[in-house]
Amino acid sequence: MSEEKYERPPASTPAVRERMRKQARKDTDCEMEVRRILWKRGFRYRVDVRPEQDLRRKADLVFRRERVVVFIDGCFWHLCPDHGVIPKFNSAWWAAKLELNRERDRQTTEFLRNRGWIVLRFWEHQSASTVAREIEIRLADLRRTYGDQARP
Ligand SMILES: [Zn+2]
């Protein structure tokens, strides 16, 4: 998931800048690979769209008929329990910012579930084939239950 535009302190050191750059690229790689696998298996989806008009947040993958929405969260921006780090420089600012991201993730999930969406969240450190497989299993399940009908 890419991050929105917001004010941020300047990257304090080249190392931080480099980590942020790498992180952004890694997120894209994982998501791209998941998309590629699912597409090859015949799944069709929307990419980077708002599942609901009044939700400001976009989802990485949206399966409208099945009402399944997928987020592949970046370890840095979404404060993954395994790899999330608060940068040392401007650490109070970062801690607040990253915690806010996490809170917004929770709110987004709740909002969508209340509207009847199945919300699947993954971390970008997970292997793309595992993520794709889990999505596939959920979709196959729904198709068995609802056939070609839209899920109520
Ligand atoms: Zn992680």
Side-chain angles (χ1 to χ4, degrees), residues 57-117:
R57 186 85 189 275
K58 290 177 177 177
D60 295 322
L61 279 82
V62 174
F63 300 84
R64 286 211 177 270
R65 199 182 54 179
E66 295 86 352
R67 292 184 68 72
V68 170
V69 61
V70 175
F71 293 95
I72 300 172
D73 293 333
C75 295
F76 177 75
W77 292 104
H78 300 263
L79 213 55
C80 153
D82 298 334
H83 311 105
V85 286
I86 311 280
K88 286 194 181 71
F89 194 80
N90 288 319
S91 66
W93 187 92
W94 278 110
K97 171 65 200 161
L98 296 176
E99 188 47 53
L100 199 69
N101 282 355
R102 208 152 61 159
E103 178 54 30
R104 199 187 46 188
D105 291 343
R106 279 190 289 264
Q107 286 170 0
T108 300
T109 297
E110 199 189 329
F111 177 95
L112 288 169
R113 284 186 177 148
N114 287 340
R115 297 278 177 97
W117 290 87

Side-chain angles (χ1 to χ4, degrees), residues 1 31-32 34-36 38 44-49 51 58-64 68-72 117-118 120 135:
M1 193 72 202
E31 190 191 325
M32 290 297 287
V34 168
R35 280 157 54 175
R36 202 182 60 77
L38 289 172
R44 296 298 177 260
Y45 44 77
R46 306 282 305 281
V47 170
D48 209 24
V49 292
K58 290 177 177 177
D60 295 322
L61 279 82
V62 174
F63 300 84
R64 286 211 177 270
V68 170
V69 61
V70 175
F71 293 95
I72 300 172
W117 290 87
I118 290 172
L120 305 178
I135 296 168

